[in-house]
C-alpha cells in the first residue's frame, strides 16, 4: 500500500524519521507543522492544528501541493508533561487530535495512525505497575494532564471507529523516542538506576519508531487498536531482573526475563504488525570525547 500521506509534526524528531521511512517506501508525503521541515524537498504546509478550519484545508487540499489524501499520520503535539502549563498541554493536544480525527473522517480518509503514549501505562510509576513486563492489557493509568489527554484521545479513537466501520485508526504507545546522537548520554545514569525508573528504562530508536508507523499504516486492521512500541532492550548495562528487584521488589513478574529485556512488552506489535526493532544503543560506538555532550529529549 502506498499513496499520499499527511504527516503532522513532520519537522520533529520522530516526524523526520517517519517522513524518511515513508518516502523510501514509495509514499508521497506532505508535512503539516508550525515550522518548516529541514529538507526543502519535503513539502510543508504551515498550519495551526487547533483551528478546525485550517485542519480541514490541510487534509483536503492546499492549492497545487496536493488534492487527495490517502492516510493521516498524526504526530504533532506538545511532546510531554511539564513543558507548558497543564491546561495548555491538555487543551492543545486534545483539541488538535479531535480536529484531525474529525477532518479525516469527514474527508473520507479511512487510514489513521497517531502517536499515543507510553505514559498511559502509569508513568512515572510512583505507584508500581500491577505486573511486569507491562502490556496493552494493563488498564490505562494517566498520571498527568499530558497522559490524561492521551487517554481521552484513545477514547475518542474508539468512538470514531464505532461510528465508521471502514475506519482503521491505530494508536502507537511510543516509548521515549531517541536518535543515535542521544545515546552519548547513557553513561550518566548507569550508576543510578532510579534516574530512568520513570519509564522502566525503556526507549525507542526513532528509526524503529518510524518503521512501526509505516507497518501500522500498511496493516489491514479495521477498527481501533493500540500497540506498545519500544526497543526490545533497556537503556541500562545492568540486567533487567536486577533492576526490577531493586526498584520494584513487590511487583509480580509474569514471564522469564532476558538479560536486558525491555519491560514494555511489544509482543502484540510483533504478532499483528510484524514489528521487530532493528536499531539500538548497544550497537553504536560513541567516541570517548563525545560522551555526555547531548541531553536526552
Amino acid at each position: 500500500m502506498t499513496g499520499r500521506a499527511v504527516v503532522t509534526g513532520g519537522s520533529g524528531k520522530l516526524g523526520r524519521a517517519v517522513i524518511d521511512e515513508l518516502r523510501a517506501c514509495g509514499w508521497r508525503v506532505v508535512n503539516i507543522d508550525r515550522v518548516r521541515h529541514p529538507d526543502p524537498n519535503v513539502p510543508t504546509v504551515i498550519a495551526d492544528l487547533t483551528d478546525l478550519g485550517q485542519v480541514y484545508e490541510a487534509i483536503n487540499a492546499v492549492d497545487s501541493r496536493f488534492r487527495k489524501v490517502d492516510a493521516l499520520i498524526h504526530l504533532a503535539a506538545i511532546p510531554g508533561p511539564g513543558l507548558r502549563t497543564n491546561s495548555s498541554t491538555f487543551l492543545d493536544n486534545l483539541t488538535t487530535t479531535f480536529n484531525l480525527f474529525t477532518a479525516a473522517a469527514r474527508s473520507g480518509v479511512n487510514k489513521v495512525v497517531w502517536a499515543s503514549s507510553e505514559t498511559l501505562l502509569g508513568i512515572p510509576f510512583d505507584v508500581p505497575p500491577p505486573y511486569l513486563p507491562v502490556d496493552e492489557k494493563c488498564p490505562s493509568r494517566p498520571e498527568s494532564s499530558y497522559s490524561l489527554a492521551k487517554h481521552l484521545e484513545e477514547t475518542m479513537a474508539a468512538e470514531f471507529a464505532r461510528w465508521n466501520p471502514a475506519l482503521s485508526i491505530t494508536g502507537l504507545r511510543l516509548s521515549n523516542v531517541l536518535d543515535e546522537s542521544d545515546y552519548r548520554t547513557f553513561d550518566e545514569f548507569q550508576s543510578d538506576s532510579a534516574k530512568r525508573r520513570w519509564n522502566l528504562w525503556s526507549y525507542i530508536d526513532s528509526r524503529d519508531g518510524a518503521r512501526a508507523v509505516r507497518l501500522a499504516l500498511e496493516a489491514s486492521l479495521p477498527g481501533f487498536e493500540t500497540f506498545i512500541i519500544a526497543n526490545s532492550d533497556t537503556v541500562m548495562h545492568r540486567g533487567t531482573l536486577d533492576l526490577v528487584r531493586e526498584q520494584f521488589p513487590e511487583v509480580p513478574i509474569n514471564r522469564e526475563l532476558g538479560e536486558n529485556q525491555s519491560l514494555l512488552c511489544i509482543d502484540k506489535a510483533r504478532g499483528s504488525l510484524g514489528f521487530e526493532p532493528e536499531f539500538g544503543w548497544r550497537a553504536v560506538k560513541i567516541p570517548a570525547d563525545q560522551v555526555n555532550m547531548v541531553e536526552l529529549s
Side-chain angles (χ1 to χ4, degrees):
M1 174 184 177
T2 57
R4 178 175 283 110
V6 160
V7 178
T8 72
S11 300
K13 181 185 290 187
L14 178 61
R16 295 192 301 271
V18 167
I19 287 174
D20 288 346
E21 174 78 13
L22 293 180
R23 293 177 77 194
C25 293
W27 285 84
R28 291 164 291 158
V29 179
V30 177
N31 173 37
I32 301 179
D33 210 320
R34 291 178 176 176
V35 296
R36 296 283 175 191
H37 192 281
D39 182 350
N41 294 315
V42 174
T44 299
V45 175
I46 303 299
D48 177 0
L49 298 178
T50 65
D51 181 334
L52 183 57
Q54 292 188 46
V55 172
Y56 267 113
E57 285 190 280
I59 290 294
N60 283 283
V62 177
D63 291 335
S64 61
R65 282 292 175 91
F66 61 94
R67 293 290 178 185
K68 180 178 181 295
V69 172
D70 301 295
L72 168 65
I73 299 96
H74 172 35
L75 309 176
I78 299 168
L83 301 176
R84 284 175 39 182
T85 63
N86 291 343
S87 60
S88 177
T89 298
F90 179 86
L91 291 171
D92 193 294
N93 287 355
L94 194 61
T95 301
T96 293
T97 299
F98 171 79
N99 287 348
L100 283 157
F101 287 178
T102 298
R106 295 185 180 178
S107 304
V109 179
N110 287 328
K111 195 71 175 176
V112 177
V113 178
W114 97 98
S116 186
S117 174
E118 64 177 357
T119 59
L120 292 183
L121 300 169
I123 286 173
F125 294 108
D126 292 336
V127 175
Y131 56 84
L132 290 168
V134 293
D135 57 20
E136 291 85 356
K137 294 178 182 178
C138 283
S140 291
R141 198 172 62 185
E143 301 287 359
S144 66
S145 295
Y146 170 84
S147 57
L148 180 59
K150 291 294 183 182
H151 174 62
L152 295 176
E153 287 175 19
E154 290 194 356
T155 302
M156 279 198 301
E159 297 307 318
F160 272 89
R162 181 174 64 84
W163 296 340
N164 178 11
L167 177 63
S168 172
I169 187 164
T170 304
L172 300 182
R173 293 180 173 182
L174 292 147
S175 188
N176 183 201
V177 178
L178 301 178
D179 284 335
E180 189 169 305
S181 60
D182 294 315
Y183 300 150
R184 299 170 184 170
T185 64
F186 276 27
D187 275 4
E188 71 185 40
F189 48 75
Q190 296 299 331
S191 61
D192 183 0
S193 62
K195 287 185 176 181
R196 291 283 303 197
R197 178 187 187 278
W198 60 272
N199 81 332
L200 304 179
W201 309 280
S202 297
Y203 73 109
I204 182 68
D205 187 287
S206 60
R207 295 162 292 185
D208 284 322
R211 195 158 48 83
V213 168
R214 178 179 61 79
L215 289 170
L217 188 63
E218 295 176 351
S220 297
L221 297 171
F224 165 60
E225 289 285 351
T226 61
F227 297 95
I228 293 172
I229 301 297
N231 271 62
S232 55
D233 66 337
T234 71
V235 301
M236 303 294 287
H237 288 300
R238 286 180 60 188
T240 301
L241 186 57
D242 283 347
L243 295 169
V244 173
R245 285 172 172 167
E246 178 186 287
Q247 294 291 333
F248 299 100
E250 305 301 323
V251 175
I253 299 171
N254 61 11
R255 68 184 65 192
E256 185 176 349
L257 296 174
E259 176 62 22
N260 296 111
Q261 181 179 326
S262 174
L263 291 168
L264 298 188
C265 180
I266 59 174
D267 286 354
K268 184 180 177 184
R270 282 175 165 141
S272 296
L273 303 179
F275 172 70
E276 190 64 45
E278 294 181 0
F279 301 96
W281 72 282
R282 296 174 202 280
V284 177
K285 304 298 182 183
I286 303 297
D289 62 349
Q290 294 184 24
V291 171
N292 295 328
M293 289 178 60
V294 181
E295 291 186 357
L296 288 174
S297 60

